[in-house]
Amino acid sequence: MSKQFIVAIGREFGSGGKHIGRALAKKLKVNLYDRNIVEKVAAEMEVDADHLKKYEEKKRRPLFHRSVAGHTTALEDHVAELQFGYIKRLADSGESFVIVGRCAEDVLRGREGLITIFITGDREYRINRVMKQFSLSHAAAIEKMDRHDRTRKAYHNHYSSGKWGDAKNYDLVISSSHLGTEGTAEFIADYIERRIKAAE
Amino acid sequence: MVAPIAASVIFVAMFILIVTDKIERHIVTLICGLLTLAVVLGIILHSPSAIWSTINLSSLVDAGFWYTPLADGHGGHSGIDWATIIFIAGMMVMVEGMAKSGFFRWLCMWLAKLVNYRSAPLFIAFMVMSAALAMFIDSITVILFLAAITIELAKLLKFNPVPMILAEIFCANLGGSATMCGDPPNIIIGSALGYSFADFLTNTGLIAGLGLIAMVIYFYLTNRKALKDADKVEKDICSLPSPSSAIINMRDFVISIIIFLTAVVLLVTHAQTGLSVATIGLGIAVITLVCAGQGVLEIIKKVDYKTLLFFVGLFIVVGGLEQTGVLKIIADFIANVSGGNLMVMCAIVIWVSALASAFVDNIPFAATMVPIITSLAGADGTILATLAWSLAMGTDIGGCATPIGASANVVGTSVAAKSGYLIGWGKFCKQSVPATIIVLIISTVVIFLRYC
């Protein structure tokens, strides 16, 4: 696979998007980028990554910020821009990679070799995964899952032209409920290999 | 009764839309301005003369608009303050020309080299330079360059640039308060009430000078440990770029310095020469463009026309409030609360202006307050001047307290954030709120002792 390919994965909370991304990266022998992008941005800029993480994958608050001549006080906007810039530079470098979240499908839209995927899942399946992963009660898992989904949706829809989870924005939308995370990863890997072959 | 309510509703809606920051502020003020003209002055008041007076184009053909040999406090007129807009546009053109030549970068690098890149002297020198430049150039431009170079030096000299950027932002606002052309509220106040550059320098300038001394001490003391630690780190001074490397084009560089100095001389002497700020702004813009050669279009394209349109819409909305008597009602209320006591009036103007400016744009606030203080002072020029200096200090300094209080704060924190140095509300206010309170206390005391 000498030609560059980039797999951009969007995901609902609890759907196993991160695990699927990791499995795909391993299978395809490429790097996985998710939250570690913040660390890479911070290392590049020689600043504290923890401080950046506070504003990562969040939409700006509705009040108490101001814009002047193309500048803004909304720190969420800055962290998003720093990440988007890093993602674009990665793509420009010619590296093939898997990226989870960060509006990557929108940031890289139009690039040759981009494959966009959204992972969803039945509600009960996702609740069970969250309960198991975080040792939470049913109610607490629902609360956590809904909160994260709201934040992700708001973030994505604020910084992207397309809507979060809308099938029109992705090459493939798949539920992980039926094949599980491993099975879904294998299915997607097969799809990616076919896509790469078709492009050659 | 309907007209004042309609004008107030439009005004409040404008403020809310500016604060929510969802629509660009020039679009907000222009739409609200059009609504004021059409609904309040046209449909409700049926007054073409009020519309004409608010648009105020007739002032442009008045000889006194361009040349006032006997400058005096002639009192404000309602509507669009074209003198302020032309002056700001002229300064924007000049600043673009200077930036293009590499002037600001050269100045920062030269000053850093002059203090041998030592942290504490560099910290103080950049604070003083920020204040000095902001006396003549808009604070956005000053901070745009200063913050960027501070970050560059911080990376090379291994220190945390955030305290220095916060100090520079504060000093840019403080320096802006010293002169008529330093901060938009001052241009609005000076232009509307007919004060000269020297009037500001000898009144708000004195307070700003005292404030600067206090701030150098305050920022140094609150950051002395970090400054000392920074000097312990080994630095490779040879790797730093030389000041001369900042100069993009020597011819443009020399011309931009000459134009800048000419602007300073014209502003300082405008009461003597009789040239209005509009004439100076227009003249400086023309000279800059003539000298720019083939770069004319590039400079014109970079002018922040959105800010100019913002001013146009804003002046119309405030003009609507004035025409419908809303501002007179507010002035009467302040007069009642203060019982006509000048000290109380000044305290209210300073502290209320400061509090408001910390959270909302100080430009619309100042534009709204000018007719109010004019009404409060009645025919007494001394009271008007005292209230004008109170308003200038309140709006200029109040804006220092929060990240959204003044344009320089937004630009400074944004430049830092683009390099990964995030300055949130907590970090900003922890340093700037005490500083703001100190300078406001100095302002109040000086105004009480000197004028009341």
Side-chain angles (χ1 to χ4, degrees):
Chain A
M1 281 182 245
S2 58
K3 216 168 173 189
Q4 185 191 24
F5 66 92
I6 301 164
V7 182
I9 301 174
R11 75 293 186 211
E12 281 185 320
F13 194 78
S15 66
K18 192 177 168 181
H19 294 273
I20 292 168
R22 195 179 294 149
L24 278 175
K26 200 175 165 190
K27 231 177 254 297
L28 299 166
K29 297 186 178 64
V30 294
N31 285 325
L32 170 75
Y33 296 98
D34 51 10
R35 215 178 180 200
N36 60 3
I37 281 190
V38 181
E39 276 142 28
K40 292 189 183 295
V41 168
E44 204 177 70
M45 302 199 135
E46 298 171 48
V47 295
D48 181 15
D50 289 341
H51 199 41
L52 298 184
K53 277 179 187 167
K54 267 169 65 181
Y55 303 95
E56 201 241 353
E57 271 212 314
K58 283 187 186 125
K59 181 195 161 191
R60 54 151 73 178
R61 289 171 300 177
L63 283 174
F64 297 115
H65 52 73
R66 188 177 151 192
S67 302
V68 172
H71 293 271
T72 177
T73 55
L75 299 181
E76 295 85 352
D77 288 7
H78 287 291
V79 174
E81 283 307 322
L82 289 174
Q83 293 198 83
F84 298 161
Y86 188 87
I87 293 167
K88 283 177 191 164
R89 287 197 299 280
L90 264 182
D92 289 342
S93 73
E95 179 186 334
S96 292
F97 58 92
V98 174
I99 178 160
V100 179
R102 280 92 202 151
C103 306
E105 96 286 349
D106 200 74
V107 173
L108 301 177
R109 192 173 299 284
R111 292 209 181 226
E112 205 184 332
L114 176 69
I115 300 165
T116 58
I117 293 158
F118 189 83
I119 317 281
T120 179
D122 294 347
R123 193 168 167 78
E124 272 310 312
Y125 167 78
R126 292 194 292 130
I127 292 168
N128 286 330
R129 283 196 78 249
V130 174
M131 284 169 68
K132 203 170 155 191
Q133 194 179 343
F134 298 97
S135 307
L136 292 174
S137 67
H138 193 265
I142 290 175
E143 195 274 326
K144 187 178 177 70
M145 194 177 85
D146 288 347
R147 180 163 41 85
H148 279 280
D149 276 347
R150 269 197 308 275
T151 308
R152 279 181 187 173
K153 186 179 179 181
Y155 164 80
H156 181 280
N157 292 353
H158 183 75
Y159 295 106
S160 305
S161 50
K163 298 278 177 220
W164 184 70
D166 184 344
K168 279 183 274 194
N169 290 322
Y170 306 89
D171 298 327
L172 182 69
V173 177
I174 184 166
S175 167
S176 59
S177 315
H178 308 292
L179 300 178
T181 53
E182 282 304 316
T184 307
E186 276 171 32
F187 179 85
I188 296 171
D190 182 49
Y191 171 76
I192 291 166
E193 274 159 19
R194 283 166 186 263
R195 279 282 304 268
I196 292 166
K197 267 188 201 150
E200 277 167 0
Chain B
M1 197 58 204
V2 181
I5 292 171
S8 304
V9 167
I10 292 172
F11 179 77
V12 172
M14 177 188 81
F15 249 107
I16 291 170
L17 287 170
I18 290 174
V19 170
T20 51
D21 199 26
K22 287 208 186 298
I23 306 169
E24 286 195 78
R25 63 180 191 160
H26 68 286
I27 295 170
V28 171
T29 63
L30 282 177
I31 290 172
C32 291
L34 282 174
L35 280 174
T36 302
L37 289 177
V39 179
V40 180
L41 305 181
I43 297 169
I44 302 173
L45 287 180
H46 303 291
S47 176
S49 64
I51 294 175
W52 183 241
S53 164
T54 304
I55 294 172
N56 203 20
L57 278 172
S58 57
S59 67
L60 292 169
V61 292
D62 180 1
F65 181 87
W66 303 101
Y67 180 65
T68 47
L70 297 169
D72 58 355
H74 59 266
H77 45 71
S78 67
I80 302 174
D81 185 348
W82 291 107
T84 294
I85 292 168
I86 293 172
F87 175 74
I88 291 174
M91 289 297 111
M92 282 176 179
V93 171
M94 180 190 79
V95 164
E96 282 308 328
M98 291 172 82
K100 206 171 145 269
S101 72
F103 172 80
F104 295 109
R105 192 174 154 75
W106 169 82
L107 187 62
C108 295
M109 299 308 290
W110 175 77
L111 202 58
K113 195 178 178 190
L114 194 72
V115 297
N116 207 22
Y117 305 102
R118 280 172 300 138
S119 303
L122 187 70
F123 188 77
I124 294 168
F126 272 30
M127 281 177 77
V128 174
M129 178 168 63
S130 178
L133 282 175
M135 287 170 70
F136 302 98
I137 295 168
D138 75 287
S139 54
I140 296 179
T141 307
V142 172
I143 285 302
L144 204 56
F145 285 91
L146 217 46
I149 289 167
T150 301
I151 290 165
E152 194 180 330
L153 286 173
K155 299 251 189 226
L156 295 167
L157 300 173
K158 313 274 181 225
F159 66 86
N160 177 9
V162 172
M164 200 188 268
I165 290 172
L166 289 176
E168 288 161 1
I169 291 171
F170 197 97
C171 289
N173 291 323
L174 191 57
S177 73
T179 65
M180 181 174 165
C181 58
D183 213 11
N186 292 20
I187 304 167
I188 292 168
I189 294 166
S191 168
L193 303 179
Y195 294 129
S196 69
F197 188 90
D199 289 333
F200 272 90
L201 200 61
T202 52
N203 291 284
T204 58
L206 175 83
I207 301 170
L210 293 172
L212 182 61
I213 295 167
M215 286 307 98
V216 167
I217 296 167
Y218 167 81
F219 278 102
Y220 175 74
L221 290 179
T222 50
N223 294 293
R224 65 185 183 284
K225 193 181 171 298
L227 291 170
K228 276 182 188 160
D229 290 347
D231 272 338
K232 286 177 193 161
V233 180
E234 280 221 5
K235 297 158 191 165
D236 180 15
I237 290 174
C238 299
S239 67
L240 292 164
S242 72
S244 58
S245 68
I247 302 169
I248 295 163
N249 178 312
M250 187 49 89
R251 175 192 164 272
D252 292 350
F253 178 76
V254 173
I255 289 173
S256 71
I257 291 178
I258 293 170
I259 293 173
F260 175 60
L261 293 176
T262 307
V264 171
V265 171
L266 287 174
L267 284 167
V268 172
T269 60
H270 83 112
Q272 287 74 38
T273 60
L275 296 176
S276 70
V277 287
T279 309
I280 295 170
L282 187 63
I284 289 297
V286 169
I287 295 169
T288 305
L289 293 175
V290 166
C291 295
Q294 291 181 331
V296 174
L297 269 181
E298 194 188 332
I299 291 177
I300 290 174
K301 273 183 195 166
K302 281 194 173 169
V303 167
D304 183 8
Y305 69 92
K306 289 180 180 176
T307 296
L308 302 176
L309 293 173
F310 163 76
F311 275 103
V312 171
L314 169 69
F315 284 131
I316 295 173
V317 176
V318 175
L321 286 180
E322 199 178 355
Q323 296 274 0
T324 53
V326 175
L327 300 183
K328 177 82 176 66
I329 296 167
I330 298 171
D332 289 345
F333 174 74
I334 296 174
N336 280 337
V337 170
S338 64
N341 182 319
L342 184 57
M343 261 193 185
V344 180
M345 274 198 267
C346 287
I348 290 174
V349 170
I350 293 176
W351 290 88
V352 171
S353 303
L355 190 65
S357 300
F359 297 98
V360 296
D361 198 331
N362 61 4
I363 299 169
F365 188 83
T368 315
M369 284 299 288
V370 167
I372 292 177
I373 62 165
T374 309
S375 177
L376 266 175
D380 193 326
T382 315
I383 294 178
L384 181 61
T386 307
L387 292 173
W389 311 140
S390 305
L391 177 61
M393 293 314 295
T395 48
D396 295 340
I397 302 306
C400 298
T402 67
I404 60 168
S407 302
N409 312 8
V410 178
V411 173
T413 52
S414 170
V415 169
K418 283 179 200 293
S419 294
Y421 297 100
L422 304 184
I423 305 173
W425 272 71
K427 202 181 280 183
F428 193 98
C429 294
K430 192 177 164 196
Q431 187 89 113
S432 297
V433 168
T436 304
I437 292 170
I438 293 168
V439 178
L440 285 174
I441 290 171
I442 292 171
S443 309
T444 311
V445 170
V446 172
I447 285 171
F448 280 5
L449 293 177
R450 200 171 167 194
Y451 311 106
C452 298

mmCIF file with all atom_site columns, all heavy atoms in Angstrom, chain B residues 389-404:
data_model
loop_
_atom_site.group_PDB
_atom_site.id
_atom_site.type_symbol
_atom_site.label_atom_id
_atom_site.label_alt_id
_atom_site.label_comp_id
_atom_site.label_asym_id
_atom_site.label_entity_id
_atom_site.label_seq_id
_atom_site.pdbx_PDB_ins_code
_atom_site.Cartn_x
_atom_site.Cartn_y
_atom_site.Cartn_z
_atom_site.occupancy
_atom_site.B_iso_or_equiv
_atom_site.pdbx_formal_charge
_atom_site.auth_seq_id
_atom_site.auth_comp_id
_atom_site.auth_asym_id
_atom_site.auth_atom_id
_atom_site.pdbx_PDB_model_num
ATOM 1   N N   . TRP B 1 389 ? -12.861 63.295 31.499 1.00 0.00 ? 389 TRP B N   1
ATOM 2   C CA  . TRP B 1 389 ? -11.646 62.545 31.919 1.00 0.00 ? 389 TRP B CA  1
ATOM 3   C C   . TRP B 1 389 ? -12.052 61.320 32.738 1.00 0.00 ? 389 TRP B C   1
ATOM 4   O O   . TRP B 1 389 ? -11.433 60.267 32.648 1.00 0.00 ? 389 TRP B O   1
ATOM 5   C CB  . TRP B 1 389 ? -10.692 63.433 32.727 1.00 0.00 ? 389 TRP B CB  1
ATOM 6   C CG  . TRP B 1 389 ? -10.402 64.771 32.108 1.00 0.00 ? 389 TRP B CG  1
ATOM 7   C CD1 . TRP B 1 389 ? -10.285 65.971 32.761 1.00 0.00 ? 389 TRP B CD1 1
ATOM 8   C CD2 . TRP B 1 389 ? -10.186 65.076 30.721 1.00 0.00 ? 389 TRP B CD2 1
ATOM 9   N NE1 . TRP B 1 389 ? -10.038 66.993 31.871 1.00 0.00 ? 389 TRP B NE1 1
ATOM 10  C CE2 . TRP B 1 389 ? -9.974  66.471 30.615 1.00 0.00 ? 389 TRP B CE2 1
ATOM 11  C CE3 . TRP B 1 389 ? -10.182 64.329 29.552 1.00 0.00 ? 389 TRP B CE3 1
ATOM 12  C CZ2 . TRP B 1 389 ? -9.744  67.123 29.402 1.00 0.00 ? 389 TRP B CZ2 1
ATOM 13  C CZ3 . TRP B 1 389 ? -9.953  64.960 28.333 1.00 0.00 ? 389 TRP B CZ3 1
ATOM 14  C CH2 . TRP B 1 389 ? -9.739  66.327 28.271 1.00 0.00 ? 389 TRP B CH2 1
ATOM 15  N N   . SER B 1 390 ? -13.107 61.466 33.541 1.00 0.00 ? 390 SER B N   1
ATOM 16  C CA  . SER B 1 390 ? -13.598 60.317 34.334 1.00 0.00 ? 390 SER B CA  1
ATOM 17  C C   . SER B 1 390 ? -14.082 59.212 33.398 1.00 0.00 ? 390 SER B C   1
ATOM 18  O O   . SER B 1 390 ? -13.775 58.028 33.599 1.00 0.00 ? 390 SER B O   1
ATOM 19  C CB  . SER B 1 390 ? -14.770 60.738 35.238 1.00 0.00 ? 390 SER B CB  1
ATOM 20  O OG  . SER B 1 390 ? -14.390 61.815 36.044 1.00 0.00 ? 390 SER B OG  1
ATOM 21  N N   . LEU B 1 391 ? -14.818 59.619 32.372 1.00 0.00 ? 391 LEU B N   1
ATOM 22  C CA  . LEU B 1 391 ? -15.348 58.643 31.413 1.00 0.00 ? 391 LEU B CA  1
ATOM 23  C C   . LEU B 1 391 ? -14.209 57.950 30.659 1.00 0.00 ? 391 LEU B C   1
ATOM 24  O O   . LEU B 1 391 ? -14.209 56.722 30.487 1.00 0.00 ? 391 LEU B O   1
ATOM 25  C CB  . LEU B 1 391 ? -16.291 59.340 30.423 1.00 0.00 ? 391 LEU B CB  1
ATOM 26  C CG  . LEU B 1 391 ? -16.872 58.479 29.302 1.00 0.00 ? 391 LEU B CG  1
ATOM 27  C CD1 . LEU B 1 391 ? -17.715 57.342 29.859 1.00 0.00 ? 391 LEU B CD1 1
ATOM 28  C CD2 . LEU B 1 391 ? -17.716 59.314 28.342 1.00 0.00 ? 391 LEU B CD2 1
ATOM 29  N N   . ALA B 1 392 ? -13.233 58.755 30.234 1.00 0.00 ? 392 ALA B N   1
ATOM 30  C CA  . ALA B 1 392 ? -12.105 58.190 29.477 1.00 0.00 ? 392 ALA B CA  1
ATOM 31  C C   . ALA B 1 392 ? -11.366 57.151 30.325 1.00 0.00 ? 392 ALA B C   1
ATOM 32  O O   . ALA B 1 392 ? -11.107 56.025 29.872 1.00 0.00 ? 392 ALA B O   1
ATOM 33  C CB  . ALA B 1 392 ? -11.155 59.300 29.040 1.00 0.00 ? 392 ALA B CB  1
ATOM 34  N N   . MET B 1 393 ? -11.053 57.511 31.565 1.00 0.00 ? 393 MET B N   1
ATOM 35  C CA  . MET B 1 393 ? -10.299 56.578 32.407 1.00 0.00 ? 393 MET B CA  1
ATOM 36  C C   . MET B 1 393 ? -11.148 55.346 32.745 1.00 0.00 ? 393 MET B C   1
ATOM 37  O O   . MET B 1 393 ? -10.653 54.216 32.741 1.00 0.00 ? 393 MET B O   1
ATOM 38  C CB  . MET B 1 393 ? -9.823  57.265 33.706 1.00 0.00 ? 393 MET B CB  1
ATOM 39  C CG  . MET B 1 393 ? -8.780  58.341 33.499 1.00 0.00 ? 393 MET B CG  1
ATOM 40  S SD  . MET B 1 393 ? -7.410  57.929 32.390 1.00 0.00 ? 393 MET B SD  1
ATOM 41  C CE  . MET B 1 393 ? -6.581  56.609 33.260 1.00 0.00 ? 393 MET B CE  1
ATOM 42  N N   . GLY B 1 394 ? -12.416 55.568 33.058 1.00 0.00 ? 394 GLY B N   1
ATOM 43  C CA  . GLY B 1 394 ? -13.301 54.445 33.405 1.00 0.00 ? 394 GLY B CA  1
ATOM 44  C C   . GLY B 1 394 ? -13.418 53.442 32.271 1.00 0.00 ? 394 GLY B C   1
ATOM 45  O O   . GLY B 1 394 ? -13.237 52.234 32.468 1.00 0.00 ? 394 GLY B O   1
ATOM 46  N N   . THR B 1 395 ? -13.690 53.938 31.058 1.00 0.00 ? 395 THR B N   1
ATOM 47  C CA  . THR B 1 395 ? -13.883 53.020 29.924 1.00 0.00 ? 395 THR B CA  1
ATOM 48  C C   . THR B 1 395 ? -12.551 52.385 29.494 1.00 0.00 ? 395 THR B C   1
ATOM 49  O O   . THR B 1 395 ? -12.488 51.186 29.226 1.00 0.00 ? 395 THR B O   1
ATOM 50  C CB  . THR B 1 395 ? -14.501 53.738 28.708 1.00 0.00 ? 395 THR B CB  1
ATOM 51  O OG1 . THR B 1 395 ? -13.793 54.948 28.480 1.00 0.00 ? 395 THR B OG1 1
ATOM 52  C CG2 . THR B 1 395 ? -15.957 54.036 28.913 1.00 0.00 ? 395 THR B CG2 1
ATOM 53  N N   . ASP B 1 396 ? -11.494 53.188 29.435 1.00 0.00 ? 396 ASP B N   1
ATOM 54  C CA  . ASP B 1 396 ? -10.202 52.655 28.968 1.00 0.00 ? 396 ASP B CA  1
ATOM 55  C C   . ASP B 1 396 ? -9.633  51.627 29.941 1.00 0.00 ? 396 ASP B C   1
ATOM 56  O O   . ASP B 1 396 ? -9.133  50.578 29.533 1.00 0.00 ? 396 ASP B O   1
ATOM 57  C CB  . ASP B 1 396 ? -9.170  53.785 28.798 1.00 0.00 ? 396 ASP B CB  1
ATOM 58  C CG  . ASP B 1 396 ? -9.564  54.763 27.706 1.00 0.00 ? 396 ASP B CG  1
ATOM 59  O OD1 . ASP B 1 396 ? -10.387 54.380 26.857 1.00 0.00 ? 396 ASP B OD1 1
ATOM 60  O OD2 . ASP B 1 396 ? -9.052  55.899 27.698 1.00 0.00 ? 396 ASP B OD2 1
ATOM 61  N N   . ILE B 1 397 ? -9.686  51.937 31.226 1.00 0.00 ? 397 ILE B N   1
ATOM 62  C CA  . ILE B 1 397 ? -9.048  51.054 32.213 1.00 0.00 ? 397 ILE B CA  1
ATOM 63  C C   . ILE B 1 397 ? -9.962  49.889 32.605 1.00 0.00 ? 397 ILE B C   1
ATOM 64  O O   . ILE B 1 397 ? -9.491  48.775 32.820 1.00 0.00 ? 397 ILE B O   1
ATOM 65  C CB  . ILE B 1 397 ? -8.609  51.858 33.470 1.00 0.00 ? 397 ILE B CB  1
ATOM 66  C CG1 . ILE B 1 397 ? -7.652  52.985 33.044 1.00 0.00 ? 397 ILE B CG1 1
ATOM 67  C CG2 . ILE B 1 397 ? -7.937  50.961 34.509 1.00 0.00 ? 397 ILE B CG2 1
ATOM 68  C CD1 . ILE B 1 397 ? -6.443  52.552 32.233 1.00 0.00 ? 397 ILE B CD1 1
ATOM 69  N N   . GLY B 1 398 ? -11.261 50.138 32.672 1.00 0.00 ? 398 GLY B N   1
ATOM 70  C CA  . GLY B 1 398 ? -12.200 49.056 33.015 1.00 0.00 ? 398 GLY B CA  1
ATOM 71  C C   . GLY B 1 398 ? -12.050 47.884 32.069 1.00 0.00 ? 398 GLY B C   1
ATOM 72  O O   . GLY B 1 398 ? -12.153 46.716 32.463 1.00 0.00 ? 398 GLY B O   1
ATOM 73  N N   . GLY B 1 399 ? -11.776 48.187 30.814 1.00 0.00 ? 399 GLY B N   1
ATOM 74  C CA  . GLY B 1 399 ? -11.626 47.143 29.798 1.00 0.00 ? 399 GLY B CA  1
ATOM 75  C C   . GLY B 1 399 ? -10.431 46.236 30.026 1.00 0.00 ? 399 GLY B C   1
ATOM 76  O O   . GLY B 1 399 ? -10.315 45.182 29.406 1.00 0.00 ? 399 GLY B O   1
ATOM 77  N N   . CYS B 1 400 ? -9.511  46.650 30.930 1.00 0.00 ? 400 CYS B N   1
ATOM 78  C CA  . CYS B 1 400 ? -8.302  45.835 31.173 1.00 0.00 ? 400 CYS B CA  1
ATOM 79  C C   . CYS B 1 400 ? -8.601  44.597 32.015 1.00 0.00 ? 400 CYS B C   1
ATOM 80  O O   . CYS B 1 400 ? -7.795  43.667 32.052 1.00 0.00 ? 400 CYS B O   1
ATOM 81  C CB  . CYS B 1 400 ? -7.253  46.651 31.940 1.00 0.00 ? 400 CYS B CB  1
ATOM 82  S SG  . CYS B 1 400 ? -6.668  48.094 31.085 1.00 0.00 ? 400 CYS B SG  1
ATOM 83  N N   . ALA B 1 401 ? -9.735  44.599 32.717 1.00 0.00 ? 401 ALA B N   1
ATOM 84  C CA  . ALA B 1 401 ? -9.958  43.597 33.764 1.00 0.00 ? 401 ALA B CA  1
ATOM 85  C C   . ALA B 1 401 ? -10.197 42.175 33.257 1.00 0.00 ? 401 ALA B C   1
ATOM 86  O O   . ALA B 1 401 ? -9.835  41.212 33.928 1.00 0.00 ? 401 ALA B O   1
ATOM 87  C CB  . ALA B 1 401 ? -11.119 44.034 34.651 1.00 0.00 ? 401 ALA B CB  1
ATOM 88  N N   . THR B 1 402 ? -10.828 42.046 32.108 1.00 0.00 ? 402 THR B N   1
ATOM 89  C CA  . THR B 1 402 ? -11.203 40.696 31.638 1.00 0.00 ? 402 THR B CA  1
ATOM 90  C C   . THR B 1 402 ? -10.678 40.448 30.214 1.00 0.00 ? 402 THR B C   1
ATOM 91  O O   . THR B 1 402 ? -10.357 41.412 29.508 1.00 0.00 ? 402 THR B O   1
ATOM 92  C CB  . THR B 1 402 ? -12.738 40.534 31.597 1.00 0.00 ? 402 THR B CB  1
ATOM 93  O OG1 . THR B 1 402 ? -13.250 41.400 30.569 1.00 0.00 ? 402 THR B OG1 1
ATOM 94  C CG2 . THR B 1 402 ? -13.384 40.886 32.922 1.00 0.00 ? 402 THR B CG2 1
ATOM 95  N N   . PRO B 1 403 ? -10.654 39.188 29.785 1.00 0.00 ? 403 PRO B N   1
ATOM 96  C CA  . PRO B 1 403 ? -10.146 38.917 28.425 1.00 0.00 ? 403 PRO B CA  1
ATOM 97  C C   . PRO B 1 403 ? -10.991 39.556 27.326 1.00 0.00 ? 403 PRO B C   1
ATOM 98  O O   . PRO B 1 403 ? -10.509 39.757 26.221 1.00 0.00 ? 403 PRO B O   1
ATOM 99  C CB  . PRO B 1 403 ? -10.220 37.394 28.317 1.00 0.00 ? 403 PRO B CB  1
ATOM 100 C CG  . PRO B 1 403 ? -10.359 36.879 29.688 1.00 0.00 ? 403 PRO B CG  1
ATOM 101 C CD  . PRO B 1 403 ? -10.988 37.950 30.510 1.00 0.00 ? 403 PRO B CD  1
ATOM 102 N N   . ILE B 1 404 ? -12.277 39.869 27.641 1.00 0.00 ? 404 ILE B N   1
ATOM 103 C CA  . ILE B 1 404 ? -13.150 40.421 26.595 1.00 0.00 ? 404 ILE B CA  1
ATOM 104 C C   . ILE B 1 404 ? -13.358 41.924 26.733 1.00 0.00 ? 404 ILE B C   1
ATOM 105 O O   . ILE B 1 404 ? -14.107 42.532 25.982 1.00 0.00 ? 404 ILE B O   1
ATOM 106 C CB  . ILE B 1 404 ? -14.531 39.718 26.589 1.00 0.00 ? 404 ILE B CB  1
ATOM 107 C CG1 . ILE B 1 404 ? -15.237 39.900 27.943 1.00 0.00 ? 404 ILE B CG1 1
ATOM 108 C CG2 . ILE B 1 404 ? -14.402 38.253 26.252 1.00 0.00 ? 404 ILE B CG2 1
ATOM 109 C CD1 . ILE B 1 404 ? -16.706 39.487 27.921 1.00 0.00 ? 404 ILE B CD1 1
#
